[in-house]
Amino acid sequence: MAIVTGAAGNVVAYMLNGEVDTLRAWAKRIFRPASESTEATQVGAIVNDYSALTEGALSEIETRIRWKAILETYLSEHPEVRPEIEALAHSEPTKTDGMHVGTQRNESSGVFIGRDNYGGVSGFGES
C-alpha cells in the first residue's frame, strides 16, 4: 500500500526534523478509534522511536519498516482511519530554522527588536 509506505516515510521525516509534537498529534488522531491504552502505547512509541533514531539505535530504514507494519496492521483493523493516514502520507514535514545566536549592540534610545526587522515599528510611545 503506497499510502502506508508514504505515511511511514513521513513518520521518519518528522522525526528527523525534530517534529515529535506534530507526530504525537498525528498518532492521537490515527489511533483514537482504538482503546486508550493502544493510543497511549503508539504515542509513546513515537517518542521512544524518535529517541532511538536520533541516538543511532534505530536506522531510518528500520524505523520506516517498523511504522509501515504498525500502520498497515492498524489500518486493516480500523479502515475508518484511512483518511488520517492518507493525510499523513501527503503532509510535508517542515524543516525548522535552527537557533540563531548572535550579538546586538543598541546605542540609542527607542525600541529595539532582535532578529531581522523589515519596516518600521509604529504605535509605540506615540501620543
Side-chain angles (χ1 to χ4, degrees):
M1 292 183 95
I3 293 164
V4 173
T5 302
N10 272 350
V11 167
V12 174
Y14 278 109
M15 287 180 182
L16 292 174
N17 283 336
E19 298 180 70
V20 179
D21 288 337
T22 302
L23 268 181
R24 290 174 67 198
W26 278 109
K28 286 180 180 187
R29 287 193 303 270
I30 290 170
F31 296 102
R32 184 175 296 140
S35 66
E36 283 186 34
S37 64
T38 299
E39 181 183 335
T41 298
Q42 297 306 342
V43 170
I46 293 283
V47 175
N48 292 338
D49 287 359
Y50 167 72
S51 295
L53 181 63
T54 57
E55 293 170 2
L58 272 177
S59 71
E60 291 178 38
I61 293 170
E62 291 169 323
T63 308
R64 190 176 307 119
I65 290 169
R66 174 174 153 65
W67 280 96
K68 182 178 182 280
I70 289 170
L71 294 171
E72 205 168 55
T73 301
Y74 188 73
L75 181 59
S76 70
E77 296 169 359
H78 296 276
E80 70 274 14
V81 299
R82 183 180 177 96
E84 288 294 341
I85 293 175
E86 285 178 348
L88 175 58
H90 293 102
S91 67
E92 293 187 30
T94 57
K95 182 70 176 169
T96 55
D97 272 345
M99 181 172 51
H100 296 278
V101 178
T103 60
Q104 179 175 331
R105 185 173 170 177
N106 303 317
E107 294 185 4
S108 183
S109 63
V111 177
F112 298 101
I113 299 173
R115 288 229 342 119
D116 301 326
N117 180 26
Y118 300 99
V121 177
S122 60
F124 293 100
E126 296 176 8
S127 303

